[in-house]
Amino acid sequence: MSTSAAVLDVSATALPIFSLVGKKAFVTGASRGIGRACALTLAAAGADVAIASSPAGVPLAEEVRDQIRALGRRSEAYAGDVGARGGVELMCARVLADFQEVDILVNNAGVVRDGLFRKMDRAAWDEVINTNLNSVFDITQRFIEGMAARKWGRVINISSIVGRIGNFGQANYAAAKAGLIGLTKTLAREYARKGVTVNAIAPGFIKTRMLDGVPDRALQSVVDTTPVGRLGEPMEIGASVLYLASPAASFVTGHVLDVNGGMSM
Ligand code: NAP
C-alpha cells in the first residue's frame, strides 16, 4: 500500500473541497438561531436546503427559505412538532417527495425546560427527551438508509457542552444531549463503511432565543469562565456544520466538535 504517492494539491482548484453544489440538506429548527445559521451557511456553499420549524415558527422559517432562494438555491419550509412521531413522519415524507433525497441531515431542533431535579416533573423531562433526542432517532432513521444506498451522506447532531459536563437545573437537557453523543458514535460505527459520516457539535453558550431566560448574572459568569471572553455567534456553529458536511471532512466520523470559546477543553 502506497502512503506517499498522492501529491497534495494546494492550488485554488483545491478549494471546491468545501463546495456543496449538487447536495441536498435538511436542517431542523432552522427558523432562527443556530439552525438558521446552519441552513444559510450550507446554502451559501451551494446546497439546496429543506428547513423545518415548529408551527409557531412558520413566518420566520419562510423568511429563511426566501433568503436561501435569493442565494440561487432551492428551499422549502416545513412545519411540525419534531417531538411527535406522527408529525415527524409526515414532515419527512414531504421533504422526500419534494427533494427526492437528503445528503446532509442537521438535527438541530431543541428546547429547554429547566428546573432543579427535585422539582422537575415528568412532563418537563418527557418534552425535552422527545424534542431533543427521540426526534433525532425518528428523523435520522428516515434518511440515513438512503444516504448509505447512495454511498455518501452526512449526519450532524447538535449536542451541547451541557451534554459533556452537565449543568445545574438541566438534568433533562443534559441527558438528551449526552444521549445524542452516544447515538452519534454508534451510528458513526454502523455507517462508516457505507460512505456516511456521523458527527456531533457541542456548542458552548451561543446568542440565541435559548439564552433569553438565563439571568444576566449567570451569563456574565459564563463570559468570565470562557477564555475568549464572550458568548458565541450562531454563524460560528454554522461554519462548523459546513466543515463537517463538506467533502473536506470525509475522514472525520464519530467526532464531537467543541465550539465553545475554550470554556471546556
Ligand atoms: P432557538 O433559537 O430557540 O431555536 C430552536 C429551534 O428549534 C427553532 O427553530 C424552533 O422552532 C425549533 N424547535 C423547538 N422545538 C421544536 C419542536 N417541538 N418541533 C419542531 N421544531 C422545534 O435555539 P438555538 O440556540 O438556536 O438552539 C438550536 C440547537 O442548538 C438546540 O438543539 C440547542 O439545544 C442547541 N444548543 C444551543 C446552545 C445555545 O447556547 N444557544 C448551546 C448548545 C446547544 P420555532 O422557531 O418554531 O420555535
Side-chain angles (χ1 to χ4, degrees):
M1 186 192 307
S2 166
T3 54
S4 59
V7 176
L8 185 64
D9 179 4
V10 290
S11 70
T13 55
L15 287 176
I17 57 175
F18 288 104
S19 168
L20 298 179
V21 171
K23 301 296 185 198
K24 296 171 185 176
F26 179 37
V27 183
T28 66
S31 48
R32 61 181 88 227
I34 290 171
R36 172 180 179 275
C38 294
L40 291 172
T41 310
L42 295 174
D48 292 334
V49 190
I51 63 171
S53 70
S54 84
V58 167
L60 287 180
E62 288 179 348
E63 277 179 30
V64 177
R65 176 200 65 193
D66 292 345
Q67 284 177 285
I68 294 172
R69 288 179 179 172
L71 292 170
R73 308 299 166 200
R74 176 158 191 217
S75 185
E76 304 293 340
Y78 304 87
D81 176 2
V82 294
R85 236 184 151 177
V88 167
E89 273 173 27
L90 196 65
M91 188 166 68
C92 294
R94 287 178 56 215
V95 171
L96 281 175
D98 291 342
F99 285 79
Q100 285 72 53
E101 60 208 23
V102 166
D103 307 298
I104 299 161
L105 171 62
V106 183
N107 287 308
N108 165 78
V111 287
V112 284
R113 295 290 179 264
D114 297 349
L116 290 179
F117 183 66
R118 67 187 164 83
K119 293 185 183 164
M120 186 175 285
D121 60 24
R122 183 60 198 258
W125 174 270
D126 285 344
E127 184 179 355
V128 170
I129 298 293
N130 280 334
T131 308
N132 298 12
L133 180 61
N134 290 341
S135 67
V136 177
F137 172 87
D138 292 332
I139 296 170
T140 305
Q141 214 169 43
R142 201 72 178 76
F143 296 111
I144 197 166
E145 284 300 320
M147 296 178 193
R150 293 187 301 280
K151 301 205 180 314
W152 199 97
R154 299 281 191 266
V155 178
I156 301 160
N157 296 322
I158 306 300
S159 177
S160 168
I161 187 173
V162 171
R164 287 229 197 248
I165 65 174
N167 197 24
F168 213 84
Q170 291 199 302
N172 47 3
Y173 186 79
K177 294 301 186 181
L180 277 184
I181 292 174
L183 176 66
T184 296
K185 293 184 179 187
T186 299
L187 294 185
R189 291 184 189 279
E190 291 188 11
Y191 287 88
R193 298 203 176 204
K194 298 177 179 173
V196 181
T197 67
V198 186
N199 292 288
I201 294 177
F205 288 75
I206 311 296
K207 282 190 249 170
T208 71
R209 176 183 65 173
M210 198 164 268
L211 297 191
D212 283 355
V214 180
D216 283 348
R217 267 180 49 202
L219 283 184
Q220 189 56 51
S221 145
V222 166
V223 170
D224 292 343
T225 52
T226 300
V228 302
R230 62 173 174 83
L231 301 174
E233 298 290 338
M235 276 298 173
E236 293 177 312
I237 307 304
S240 304
V241 165
L242 169 59
Y243 167 64
L244 291 173
S246 75
S250 53
F251 205 47
V252 180
T253 197
H255 185 65
V256 185
L257 181 58
D258 291 312
V259 186
N260 61 30
M263 190 182 189
S264 165
M265 57 174 98

